Amino acid sequence: ILQLVDVRRADNVLAWFLAALILHDLVLLPLYAALDRLAARATGVRAINYVRVPAALSALLFVVWFPTILGLNDASFGRVAGFTRDGVLERWLALSAALFAISALLWFVMGRREAPHASPRAG
């Protein structure tokens, strides 16, 4: 908090906040709302949740770790963080694939459970 009180830092934080607000609310929100609406129409309202959750988790992991995933950290990163960035992209891709695979398995199991069973024919 003491660093934010400094006028030079407060200006930077305010500029970053306004840019993030404008980028999210005016650009990203309409974009992913439109994509979500298209996906819901294509797959059905119930099925879209099995895509939303792993996509959101994968995107969250990417947003938090994108410098490491893309290898944008400087050379001292491994020394400071305590691990190397070798294979981070592959691990993120594998984790994302696992999230989607688990979601697909749950969708299949829940779909089989909700499917109406064939009633015997009255003859």
Coordinates of all heavy atoms in Angstrom, one line a residue, residues 2 6 18 29 37-38 50 52 54 64 75 77 80 82 85-86 94 96 108 123:
L2 N 2.0 1.2 0.7 CA 2.8 2.4 0.8 C 3.4 2.7 -0.6 O 3.6 3.8 -1.0 CB 3.9 2.2 1.8 CG 3.5 2.1 3.3 CD1 4.7 1.8 4.2 CD2 2.8 3.4 3.6
D6 N 2.8 6.3 -3.5 CA 3.8 7.1 -4.2 C 3.1 7.5 -5.5 O 2.5 6.7 -6.3 CB 5.0 6.2 -4.5 CG 6.1 7.0 -5.3 OD1 6.0 8.2 -5.3 OD2 7.0 6.4 -5.8
L18 N -7.2 1.1 -15.9 CA -8.1 1.7 -16.9 C -7.9 0.9 -18.2 O -8.9 0.6 -18.9 CB -7.9 3.2 -17.1 CG -8.3 4.0 -16.0 CD1 -7.9 5.5 -16.2 CD2 -9.8 3.9 -15.8
L29 N -15.0 -9.1 -23.4 CA -16.3 -9.6 -22.9 C -17.3 -9.8 -24.1 O -17.9 -10.9 -24.2 CB -16.9 -8.6 -21.9 CG -18.3 -9.0 -21.3 CD1 -18.1 -10.4 -20.6 CD2 -18.8 -8.0 -20.4
R37 N -22.2 -17.9 -26.9 CA -23.5 -18.1 -27.5 C -23.6 -19.0 -28.7 O -24.4 -19.8 -28.9 CB -24.1 -16.7 -27.8 CG -25.6 -16.7 -28.1 CD -26.1 -15.3 -28.3 NE -26.3 -14.8 -26.9 CZ -26.8 -13.6 -26.7 NH1 -27.2 -12.8 -27.6 NH2 -27.0 -13.2 -25.4
L38 N -22.6 -18.8 -29.6 CA -22.5 -19.7 -30.7 C -22.2 -21.1 -30.3 O -22.8 -22.1 -30.9 CB -21.3 -19.2 -31.7 CG -21.6 -18.0 -32.5 CD1 -20.3 -17.5 -33.2 CD2 -22.7 -18.2 -33.5
Y50 N -19.8 -28.5 -20.2 CA -18.7 -29.5 -20.2 C -17.5 -29.0 -21.1 O -16.4 -29.5 -21.1 CB -19.1 -30.8 -20.7 CG -20.1 -31.5 -19.7 CD1 -21.4 -31.5 -19.9 CD2 -19.6 -32.2 -18.6 CE1 -22.3 -32.1 -19.0 CE2 -20.4 -32.8 -17.7 CZ -21.8 -32.7 -17.9 OH -22.6 -33.3 -17.0
R52 N -17.2 -25.2 -21.2 CA -16.9 -24.0 -20.4 C -15.9 -24.2 -19.3 O -14.9 -23.4 -19.2 CB -18.1 -23.4 -19.9 CG -19.0 -22.7 -20.8 CD -20.2 -22.2 -20.1 NE -21.2 -21.6 -21.0 CZ -22.4 -21.5 -20.8 NH1 -23.0 -22.0 -19.7 NH2 -23.2 -20.9 -21.7
P54 N -13.5 -26.7 -18.4 CA -12.1 -26.9 -18.7 C -11.5 -25.8 -19.5 O -10.3 -25.5 -19.3 CB -12.1 -28.2 -19.5 CG -13.5 -28.4 -20.0 CD -14.4 -27.7 -19.1
V64 N -2.3 -16.8 -15.8 CA -1.4 -16.7 -14.6 C 0.0 -17.0 -15.0 O 1.0 -16.3 -14.6 CB -1.9 -17.6 -13.5 CG1 -0.9 -17.7 -12.4 CG2 -3.2 -17.1 -12.9
A75 N 16.8 -15.1 -17.9 CA 17.6 -16.2 -17.6 C 17.7 -16.5 -16.1 O 18.0 -17.7 -15.7 CB 19.0 -16.0 -18.1
F77 N 15.3 -16.6 -14.0 CA 14.0 -17.2 -13.5 C 14.2 -18.5 -12.8 O 13.7 -18.6 -11.7 CB 13.0 -17.4 -14.6 CG 11.8 -18.0 -14.2 CD1 10.8 -17.3 -13.6 CD2 11.6 -19.4 -14.5 CE1 9.6 -17.9 -13.1 CE2 10.4 -20.0 -14.1 CZ 9.4 -19.2 -13.4
V80 N 15.7 -18.0 -9.3 CA 14.8 -17.3 -8.3 C 13.6 -18.2 -8.0 O 13.2 -18.3 -6.8 CB 14.4 -16.0 -8.9 CG1 13.3 -15.3 -8.0 CG2 15.6 -15.0 -9.1
G82 N 13.2 -21.5 -8.4 CA 13.6 -22.8 -7.9 C 13.3 -23.9 -8.9 O 13.4 -25.1 -8.5
R85 N 12.1 -23.7 -16.6 CA 10.9 -23.6 -17.4 C 10.9 -24.6 -18.6 O 10.1 -24.5 -19.5 CB 10.8 -22.2 -17.9 CG 11.9 -21.7 -18.7 CD 11.8 -20.2 -19.1 NE 13.0 -19.8 -19.7 CZ 13.4 -18.6 -19.8 NH1 12.7 -17.6 -19.4 NH2 14.6 -18.3 -20.4
D86 N 11.8 -25.5 -18.5 CA 11.8 -26.6 -19.6 C 10.6 -27.4 -19.5 O 10.2 -27.9 -18.5 CB 13.1 -27.4 -19.4 CG 14.4 -26.7 -19.6 OD1 14.3 -25.6 -20.3 OD2 15.4 -27.1 -19.0
A94 N -0.7 -30.6 -21.7 CA -1.1 -31.9 -21.2 C -2.2 -31.7 -20.1 O -3.2 -32.5 -20.1 CB 0.1 -32.7 -20.7
S96 N -4.3 -29.2 -19.9 CA -5.5 -28.8 -20.6 C -6.2 -29.9 -21.3 O -7.4 -30.1 -21.2 CB -5.1 -27.7 -21.6 OG -4.6 -26.5 -21.0
F108 N -20.1 -37.9 -21.0 CA -20.5 -39.2 -21.5 C -21.3 -40.0 -20.3 O -22.4 -40.5 -20.6 CB -19.4 -40.0 -22.0 CG -19.7 -41.4 -22.4 CD1 -20.4 -41.6 -23.7 CD2 -19.5 -42.5 -21.7 CE1 -20.8 -42.8 -24.1 CE2 -19.8 -43.8 -22.1 CZ -20.5 -43.9 -23.3
G123 N -47.1 -55.7 -26.4 CA -47.4 -56.5 -27.6 C -48.6 -57.2 -27.6 O -49.4 -57.7 -28.1

